[in-house]
Amino acid sequence: MTIKKAAVIGSGVMGSGIAAHIANAGIPVYLLDIVPQAVKDNGGDRSVVAKTAIDKMLKTDPAPFMHKKAASLVTPGNIEDDLEKLADVDWIVEAVLENPKVKHDLYQKLEAVRKDGSIVSSNTSTIPLNILLEGQTERFATDFCITHFFNPPRYMRLLEVVKGPKTRQDAFDTVSAFCDRVLGKGVVECKDTPGFIANRIGTYFMAVAVNEAIDGGLTVEEADAITGRPMGIPKTGTFGLIDLVGLDLMPLISKSLLSTLPADDDYRRIHRDNALANKMIAEGYTGRKGKGGFYRQTKLADGRRVKEAIDLKTGVYRTSEKATLASASAKTLKALVETGDAGGAYAWRVLSQALSYAADLVPQIAEQITAVDEAMRLGYNWKSGPFELIDQLGTGWFAEKLAAEGKAVPHMVKVAAGRPFYKVEGSKLLFLGTDGEYAEVKRPDGVLLLTDIKRGSKPVAKNGSASLWDIGDGVLCLEFTSKMNALDQDIMGMIRKAMGIIGDGKSGAYKALVIHNEAQNFSVGANLGLALFAINIGLWPQIEATIAEGQNTYKALKYAPFPTVAAPSGMALGGGCEILLHSSAVQAHAETYSGLVEVGVGVLPGWGGCKEMVIRHLANKRRPGGPMPALSAAFEAISTAKVAKSAFEARDMLILRPTDGITFNKDRLLADAKAKALEMAATYTPPQEPEIRLPGPAAATAFSMAVEGFAAQGKATKHDVVVSKAIGFVLSGGNTDITQVMTEDDLLTLEREGFLALTKTNGTINRIEHMLETGKPLRN
């Protein structure tokens, strides 16, 4: 069975978000909700609830839709007039109130209209499947499962799936495969237990972290400094995370868990009715969505905004202060708990309880430890799952310390008996099963991870900032390894080395190159620290040589005799975006955020970004006649540092071409890029260099007048004008006219000269320094 059309019942935050994400993947979806009583009584639009939800999503940031056009695939309706439309739907997602009776009544209505073989799933986060199926038909039970999305559905990768004893295996496999391949989710199969995996463990962890912070006399900043980066759970820390998800959500989850958990579950021991949290919720301090939470922003009389944190003892807000605990700087988890200060003691109290709780829940909540670790990484953004964290401490050390304190050693730690939960043998990653034996961690078909390749092989070439890996079938993979994947001369050198190794792509061992890494961001651009150092000591010839080296390397990449496929995810900014523009093709993760943002540090794209945007916009068949509309579009994108907030938006900006691919599941990105590279290699010929005709000074004057107009309106700063005029001069072709043919090298020369001139201005130097110090652009 193939899912070609879907429906979501319930247009709240989760339901509407699920519908939007299904539409993101190009699947038509109905979004149905109730008819409000006021409409029934007084007349009006009977589908107003669903329509309002769609309108709200079009204005929400971060956006549920990857492109506004996706909204056209969502058809609003209501459950009184439109249920019969579900007769041709392949998958129905229920996302209504967490009330079994409400769900039961809806299921009976769905059963009366749905077609044979259609799949029905619930997005419940707390209600067990066996309760959901009470009173339902045998036919319904065989087509029913749970698909628990995490909020927001577009961005959170975890999808917990649960099947019942009567669920058809092919129905379960169909919806799981669809959510994996089409929606890009990390699908984790759970058992039918309260809270499933992530919420069961995550809620426990947060409760313990809050309790121990209060009992230990720590401030919210100190607690977050310990549970954030040192533990990796996640960098917001516990109180920052609660603010993010909403304080008012926590009591609801707790209430549901307490109503279904076993009588002896340890969550019952640690659960408290927190008076401070209750008071905050009652006063509207529900977190970021409210007036603030454990942290809030306060506006002073002079207009400045100050971050405040609540005192956990008094409930009074005070100016937030950075934690100074030595333990917050610990490099390893074991060093953290052994630091000896209040933070280290706090870390152990939290970890000893939370990790023990998780280690006692297998195989109760999942068949294997791998499912638990995956769920916590994808659902709660933990850097490492519970069993991986125990490995960092050492299973033997963990057991001995618990025993020495008179605490119970959890079941799976006893099974480990001093052995690690994960180990590597040759190229294989093994995990410890519940039977005490090791088994290989298996990847789904179509998943290729660079992590796995690196585990079992040595790089073809390596330097301080990049590596080359053989990913099979004659394809090389270039991986950036510098800090933040910032681009430098080592990376340029490795690109040239890759080209030398591949040669003509026909006579040697390799025939294609993929540019990919598994870091959080593909590349944030050039190494600003090196650039500022060179500027400060006046190494202008070196700066110019660095610009020329990047231009020549990228141009060589573009015209290589073999295909190059860039496979980005996360941010691809500045020089990272320019790599995309010079690759033969791009296979982008759907959540790729790309753009030429150099103006933020006071320069222009100097590695061919201006040149490529000119060429692409001039070649755009949809543009109006004459060169100015094309150049204006390029000018707007570059001078405003416009960033595409999805791969689909990147297509609109011409960063991606219509032939470039988009992959929803990040774990499948490398395999898709490799397949594209092999497909291209069979008949590949490099592109022909275009002839470029540009209007010259007349266009530059028009751009100059436009930016001065923005400055007069207060929409552009003094240095914005300087940088934008330099960009306009390059895009216009300098001192050319429309009758002259320019080459790419001509435009590269203009880029290089413009870039160098800007680095000699105080405004640009100040912008670079400010970015390095604060991570934010300076508006000077």
Side-chain angles (χ1 to χ4, degrees):
M1 177 183 172
T2 302
I3 294 175
K4 297 180 180 179
K5 185 177 289 188
V8 178
I9 316 297
S11 63
V13 172
M14 285 303 298
S16 60
I18 293 167
H21 195 54
I22 293 172
N24 286 335
I27 305 297
V29 55
Y30 292 111
L31 179 62
L32 309 185
D33 211 311
I34 62 169
V35 179
Q37 189 60 47
V39 172
K40 292 180 181 179
D41 294 340
N42 304 312
D45 190 338
R46 291 172 62 82
S47 299
V48 65
V49 177
K51 289 180 179 178
T52 300
I54 296 170
D55 291 341
K56 183 178 180 180
M57 288 194 293
L58 287 168
K59 302 171 186 174
T60 299
D61 186 24
F65 291 111
M66 290 181 175
H67 193 291
K68 290 187 182 296
K69 292 179 182 176
S72 65
L73 291 173
V74 183
T75 302
N78 67 79
I79 56 177
E80 294 188 16
D81 304 325
D82 301 308
L83 278 184
E84 70 278 359
K85 294 178 180 178
L86 305 189
D88 65 341
V89 162
D90 304 304
W91 178 32
I92 303 169
V93 183
E94 169 269 302
V96 300
L97 292 174
E98 288 288 81
N99 181 318
K101 185 180 186 310
V102 173
K103 294 179 186 291
H104 291 159
D105 292 345
L106 174 63
Y107 294 164
Q108 290 172 6
K109 294 175 182 177
L110 294 178
E111 183 67 347
V113 298
R114 71 183 186 92
K115 68 180 180 180
D116 288 339
S118 64
I119 302 167
V120 182
S121 69
S122 174
N123 182 58
T124 183
S125 59
T126 57
I127 304 175
L129 185 144
N130 62 345
I131 294 177
L132 294 175
L133 284 178
E134 288 176 355
Q136 306 307 312
T137 67
E138 189 82 7
R139 175 178 179 261
F140 187 87
T142 60
D143 293 332
F144 183 79
C145 61
I146 289 172
T147 52
H148 177 216
F149 289 80
F150 279 67
N151 190 37
R154 169 184 166 182
Y155 300 96
M156 295 302 295
R157 292 188 62 201
L158 178 62
L159 180 81
E160 293 179 322
V161 292
V162 182
K163 63 183 178 183
K166 296 180 180 179
T167 306
R168 289 186 293 115
Q169 188 62 45
D170 57 338
F172 184 78
D173 291 344
T174 294
V175 77
S176 297
F178 178 85
C179 292
D180 168 1
R181 294 176 179 272
V182 180
L183 300 186
K185 298 302 173 188
V187 177
V188 174
E189 184 174 349
C190 312
K191 292 191 176 181
D192 188 20
T193 56
F196 311 125
I197 297 175
N199 279 345
R200 178 86 172 264
I201 296 172
T203 302
Y204 183 99
F205 179 92
M206 287 192 287
V208 167
V210 170
N211 292 348
E212 295 299 340
I214 294 172
D215 294 348
L218 275 75
T219 66
V220 293
E221 296 97 328
E222 289 173 334
D224 284 352
I226 297 301
T227 60
R229 292 186 186 278
M231 288 188 193
I233 312 178
K235 67 180 182 180
T236 56
T238 300
F239 291 99
L241 179 61
I242 294 173
D243 277 358
L244 182 63
V245 300
L247 272 74
D248 53 335
L249 182 62
M250 307 312 295
L252 298 177
I253 295 176
S254 296
K255 182 180 179 181
S256 180
L257 283 173
L258 291 170
S259 69
T260 52
L261 284 171
D264 61 348
D265 192 88
D266 198 51
Y267 181 74
R268 297 185 182 279
R269 175 186 67 83
I270 60 101
H271 172 71
R272 298 179 187 174
D273 187 27
N274 190 301
L276 175 59
N278 291 339
K279 180 175 181 291
M280 292 169 67
I281 293 169
E283 294 176 353
Y285 287 95
T286 55
R288 295 190 189 181
K289 66 183 179 181
K291 296 189 294 186
F294 291 105
Y295 298 96
R296 72 177 184 182
Q297 293 284 337
T298 299
K299 190 173 183 180
L300 301 180
D302 61 4
R304 291 184 296 118
R305 300 192 72 85
V306 176
K307 184 178 181 180
E308 295 184 327
I310 202 164
D311 187 299
L312 293 174
K313 292 181 179 178
T314 66
V316 177
Y317 283 97
R318 51 164 176 77
T319 302
S320 181
E321 299 176 354
K322 185 176 181 180
T324 58
L325 294 168
S327 48
S329 301
K331 301 301 182 184
T332 67
L333 195 66
K334 196 170 182 181
L336 171 65
V337 299
E338 292 183 332
T339 302
D341 66 2
Y346 169 68
W348 171 248
R349 293 197 305 272
V350 173
L351 289 171
S352 61
Q353 295 176 77
L355 298 184
S356 292
Y357 184 69
D360 255 339
L361 289 176
V362 176
Q364 180 185 338
I365 61 174
E367 286 294 340
Q368 304 294 355
I369 64 172
T370 51
V372 173
D373 284 344
E374 182 84 343
M376 297 315 297
R377 286 195 303 269
L378 298 182
Y380 272 72
N381 284 332
W382 286 21
K383 189 174 181 180
S384 303
F387 294 95
E388 293 169 319
L389 289 171
I390 295 174
D391 269 356
Q392 292 175 29
L393 296 171
T395 57
W397 181 92
F398 187 66
E400 289 173 8
K401 188 165 178 62
L402 288 173
E405 295 180 352
K407 298 174 181 175
V409 177
H411 167 68
M412 280 303 297
V413 176
K414 290 180 181 177
V415 171
R419 298 172 295 165
F421 284 115
Y422 295 92
K423 68 177 183 177
V424 175
E425 286 187 359
S427 62
K428 296 179 179 179
L429 176 63
L430 306 180
F431 72 94
L432 187 67
T434 55
D435 59 358
E437 300 297 324
Y438 285 99
E440 185 178 357
V441 175
K442 295 288 188 182
R443 308 296 184 195
D445 289 343
V447 169
L448 178 64
L449 299 181
L450 197 54
T451 301
D452 292 340
I453 292 167
K454 291 163 63 175
R455 186 185 303 112
S457 61
K458 294 182 178 181
V460 175
K462 179 180 175 65
N463 63 27
S465 298
S467 300
L468 287 176
W469 299 94
D470 186 333
I471 59 174
D473 301 310
V475 180
L476 272 182
C477 179
L478 170 63
E479 176 195 26
F480 307 147
T481 57
S482 57
K483 184 177 181 180
M484 291 287 287
N485 286 340
L487 302 168
D488 57 21
Q489 289 178 305
D490 277 351
I491 288 177
M492 296 301 169
M494 192 58 71
I495 293 174
R496 294 193 299 274
K497 191 172 188 69
M499 295 176 66
I501 291 172
I502 299 174
D504 63 5
K506 296 175 176 60
S507 56
Y510 299 101
K511 51 192 172 186
L513 176 68
V514 168
I515 305 174
H516 171 75
N517 61 74
E518 292 172 352
Q520 183 176 355
N521 295 308
F522 179 73
S523 175
V524 296
N527 189 319
L528 288 179
L530 293 176
L532 183 61
F533 174 78
I535 290 169
N536 283 336
I537 60 176
L539 290 178
W540 308 117
Q542 181 178 323
I543 295 172
E544 186 171 12
T546 299
I547 301 167
E549 180 186 21
Q551 290 179 339
N552 293 336
T553 301
Y554 282 12
K555 185 182 177 186
L557 192 70
K558 177 179 178 179
Y559 292 107
F562 54 84
T564 59
V565 178
S569 62
M571 291 189 287
L573 304 177
C577 181
E578 286 172 307
I579 288 179
L580 310 188
L581 294 172
H582 287 84
S583 296
S584 311
V586 178
Q587 184 70 38
H589 182 229
E591 298 294 354
T592 298
Y593 314 110
S594 54
L596 299 170
V597 297
E598 285 84 351
V599 296
V601 290
V603 295
L604 53 77
W607 284 340
C610 293
K611 166 196 52 107
E612 285 301 309
M613 293 310 288
V614 164
I615 292 170
R616 293 194 178 196
H617 280 280
L618 287 175
N620 183 14
K621 295 179 180 178
R622 295 184 178 181
R623 70 175 175 87
M628 279 308 294
L631 298 181
S632 296
F635 179 77
E636 179 186 359
I638 297 172
S639 64
T640 62
K642 186 177 181 180
V643 174
K645 295 183 179 179
S646 72
F648 294 96
E649 288 190 3
R651 277 182 175 166
D652 280 356
M653 291 175 60
L654 306 190
I655 294 170
L656 298 189
R657 292 155 289 205
T659 53
D660 289 330
I662 298 175
T663 298
F664 270 67
N665 192 325
K666 189 176 179 180
D667 290 345
R668 298 182 177 276
L669 181 58
L670 181 57
D672 289 350
K674 177 183 173 182
K676 180 179 281 289
L678 289 172
E679 180 184 4
M680 294 176 68
T683 58
Y684 186 73
T685 55
Q688 295 294 312
E689 187 165 345
E691 291 185 349
I692 306 166
R693 296 177 185 271
L694 297 171
T701 299
F703 291 139
S704 178
M705 292 174 63
V707 74
E708 286 177 354
F710 283 124
Q713 299 172 42
K715 297 179 180 179
T717 66
K718 182 178 179 180
H719 200 58
D720 285 339
V721 174
V722 175
V723 179
S724 295
K725 285 185 176 182
I727 292 168
F729 185 77
V730 173
L731 299 183
S732 302
N735 296 316
T736 186
D737 64 61
I738 203 71
T739 65
Q740 296 181 13
V741 174
M742 298 185 70
T743 66
E744 290 192 31
D745 287 339
D746 293 331
L747 276 178
L748 289 175
T749 298
L750 291 173
E751 273 189 6
R752 193 165 59 250
E753 292 172 350
F755 187 102
L756 196 63
L758 287 170
T759 59
K760 295 179 180 179
T761 65
N762 289 330
T764 289
I765 294 171
N766 292 338
R767 284 192 178 190
I768 295 174
E769 288 177 341
H770 190 268
M771 180 63 74
L772 287 171
E773 290 173 3
T774 69
K776 298 177 182 179
L778 174 67
R779 302 291 295 155
N780 61 335

